[in-house]
Amino acid sequence: MSSICGLPLLECVYCLACARWVWKRCLYTAGHESENWGLATAEEFEPVPRLCHLILAIYEDDLQNPIWAPPGGYDINPDWIILRKTHEETEGRSTPYLIYLDHNNADIVLAVRGLNLARESDYAVLLDNKLGQTKFCGGYVHNGLLKAAKWVFDRECDVLSDLVAKNPEYRLTFAGHSLGAGMVSLMVIYAIQNLNRLGNIERKRIRCFAMAPARCMSLNLAVRYADVINSVVLQDDFLPRSTTALEDIFKSLVCLPCLLCFTCLKDTCTLEDKMLKDPRRLYAPGRLYHIVERKPLRIGRLPPVVRTAVPVDGRFEHIVLSCNATADHALIWIERESQRALDLMLKKDQIVGIPITQRMERQESLAREQTNEYEAALQRAIALDIPQGYSSSPYGTFLDAQDGDS
């Protein structure tokens, strides 16, 4: 009777559809997201391994006798560290951080480390957020990360301002990993809104590198500040892709694969138009650098390739079902693979034999291309009717926020 009613047929169709979805998701890799992006150059990617070393150095108690140094060491001068703050000194308001005056690279760096799994205060910062809780600079941001970013900036802006005044040719760089990456991404926006507290430093001298960042800002902010914020994501890293409440993630560490599968199913069934039109939905910030080193059905790691873009739609929307989804979040792996990728870029440049003058011309050309790509992303946001996704003015600033924005 059930055969006549066609129930087995419906069951078979349902099972085939589920099997097809599982097969596609298992074959879906992070490389598909960035396959149409451009390739990064050595000039723009050079700071990434160096800043990873600096963030890793925060974990050391004594840099004169390091314990966790990567191969080749941290390549930093302990005498150039202006200050260091531990968990006790931050009073649980932020993760540990340091300020480093890099004379070799003409850089003033504020680096923030990631989450400490043994510190409840770090969880308190990460979990202090509800959907649409905090509006900032014409968009929505993560509440806990914004409060931590403001606290660190207000505490250290005098030090940074003094360093900027004494070193007028140096850049000001904010760098962080994971929880710290979300903090510095919001901190650089807060700094741009308060340039007078940094001696009126030019916007073009400020930049941010967020390694494996948590989703911390709405899409309009992520695109509008892509000229100063750079996010680095290694292959299948789950955190920049996870739209699930962070509270649920850290409550489910025992069965994180189950949660990732559920999130993957949920995101797959959500229409992209609905995701883009939600002004409260948070995203990975700024320009994206995606390190790709694996392909489906291939064993082992391939020579890493770094792709970059300022995407509007398709900005790490889907969880990747991979056994490396959590391992790719580790800073030590990001440092290793970014260094490998940079070495390959430099080797390729040496083989081609590009003269110094042509390299300078390429840097200028790269700056123009990134500016054009940045403007195109803003126009794309307007075309897709992204809430508050307005374009920039000819002077490099943005239109005034709409009424009601804090």
Side-chain angles (χ1 to χ4, degrees):
M1 184 66 181
S2 61
S3 300
I4 296 176
C5 294
L7 290 181
L9 179 61
L10 294 177
E11 292 172 356
C12 291
V13 172
Y14 177 77
C15 292
L16 287 174
C18 292
R20 179 177 179 273
W21 179 84
V22 171
W23 176 252
K24 287 186 67 176
R25 296 309 301 177
C26 289
L27 284 182
Y28 179 84
T29 63
H32 289 150
E33 294 171 317
S34 59
E35 59 186 353
N36 295 322
W37 297 3
L39 295 177
T41 63
E43 288 81 4
E44 60 182 311
F45 196 70
E46 176 273 331
V48 174
R50 172 166 50 86
L51 294 173
C52 285
H53 291 163
L54 196 56
I55 300 170
L56 284 170
I58 305 176
Y59 292 81
E60 296 283 359
D61 294 327
D62 182 8
L63 285 175
Q64 300 290 354
N65 301 290
I67 301 176
W68 315 107
Y74 291 112
D75 194 26
I76 63 176
N77 188 341
D79 297 332
W80 293 350
I81 296 178
I82 305 301
L83 60 83
R84 292 187 64 179
K85 298 296 183 180
T86 62
H87 269 108
E88 290 72 21
E89 292 172 305
T90 61
E91 303 172 354
R93 307 288 294 274
S94 163
T95 53
Y97 61 90
L98 61 78
I99 296 179
Y100 182 71
L101 187 58
D102 189 348
H103 293 291
N104 291 335
N105 297 282
D107 210 355
I108 304 166
V109 184
L110 191 155
V112 185
R113 61 160 283 180
L115 176 78
N116 186 335
L117 294 175
R119 289 279 178 173
E120 294 183 4
S121 59
D122 288 2
Y123 289 100
V125 171
L126 198 58
L127 304 183
D128 179 16
N129 187 62
K130 293 180 181 178
L131 187 63
Q133 179 178 356
T134 304
K135 294 189 72 175
F136 177 65
C137 196
Y140 288 90
V141 298
H142 187 286
N143 183 62
L145 294 177
L146 177 63
K147 290 196 298 185
K150 285 184 175 181
W151 185 84
V152 174
F153 180 82
D154 292 339
R155 187 182 179 111
E156 308 299 347
C157 67
D158 291 338
V159 177
L160 295 176
S161 178
D162 185 57
L163 292 174
V164 168
K166 293 179 178 179
N167 303 277
E169 301 299 324
Y170 286 23
R171 302 191 68 163
L172 177 59
T173 301
F174 298 86
H177 169 247
S178 188
L179 173 65
M183 286 177 52
V184 296
S185 298
L186 297 178
M187 194 185 306
V188 74
I189 298 178
Y190 186 57
I192 289 175
Q193 302 303 314
N194 296 273
L195 291 178
N196 59 312
R197 300 177 64 183
L198 293 174
N200 292 315
I201 183 176
E202 297 174 298
R203 175 175 174 144
K204 63 182 181 180
R205 288 176 55 196
I206 301 177
R207 61 181 178 178
C208 170
F209 283 89
M211 317 299 177
R215 291 186 167 218
C216 59
M217 63 182 66
S218 54
L219 185 56
N220 65 322
L221 293 178
V223 175
R224 283 164 50 199
Y225 287 91
D227 59 325
V228 292
I229 303 177
N230 306 280
S231 291
V232 181
V233 178
L234 175 60
Q235 189 78 23
D236 302 332
D237 188 358
F238 77 95
L239 193 60
R241 297 179 171 85
S242 177
T243 56
T244 304
L246 296 175
E247 181 178 2
D248 296 333
I249 290 179
F250 287 95
K251 283 182 178 179
S252 307
L253 285 177
V254 177
C255 192
L256 185 58
C258 300
L259 179 65
L260 295 181
C261 289
F262 173 77
T263 305
C264 181
L265 178 61
K266 179 182 176 182
D267 288 344
T268 303
C269 297
T270 304
L271 296 177
E272 187 172 8
D273 288 343
K274 182 179 179 180
M275 292 188 292
L276 292 175
K277 296 297 175 60
D278 185 358
R280 303 168 302 167
R281 187 180 178 90
L282 304 184
Y283 291 83
R287 169 175 287 276
L288 300 177
Y289 289 90
H290 192 202
I291 305 174
V292 180
E293 55 169 3
R294 294 185 300 272
K295 293 184 178 180
L297 306 180
R298 294 285 297 271
I299 299 176
R301 297 176 181 266
L302 302 175
V305 175
V306 182
R307 300 170 183 159
T308 182
V310 185
V312 179
D313 42 347
R315 175 180 280 264
F316 290 152
E317 289 291 357
H318 300 291
I319 289 286
V320 178
L321 296 181
S322 167
C323 59
N324 298 290
T326 54
D328 286 344
H329 184 68
L331 181 60
I332 187 66
W333 279 111
I334 298 174
E335 182 274 329
R336 291 178 183 177
E337 296 307 317
S338 63
Q339 186 64 61
R340 287 181 60 203
L342 179 61
D343 291 341
L344 290 174
M345 295 178 194
L346 295 174
K347 183 178 180 180
K348 181 178 179 181
D349 287 348
Q350 291 177 355
I351 293 175
V352 175
I354 303 177
I356 297 179
T357 54
Q358 290 187 12
R359 290 184 181 180
M360 296 177 63
E361 293 174 357
R362 187 172 70 172
Q363 289 182 5
E364 296 176 356
S365 175
L366 175 65
R368 290 193 298 269
E369 290 175 2
Q370 289 192 350
T371 301
N372 293 336
E373 186 178 11
Y374 168 57
E375 292 293 340
L378 291 171
Q379 297 301 326
R380 175 65 173 166
I382 296 173
L384 291 174
D385 196 22
I386 302 299
Q388 298 174 328
Y390 39 83
S391 182
S392 62
S393 74
Y395 300 100
T397 57
F398 297 95
L399 300 180
D400 293 334
Q402 296 181 3
D403 293 340
D405 293 341
S406 58

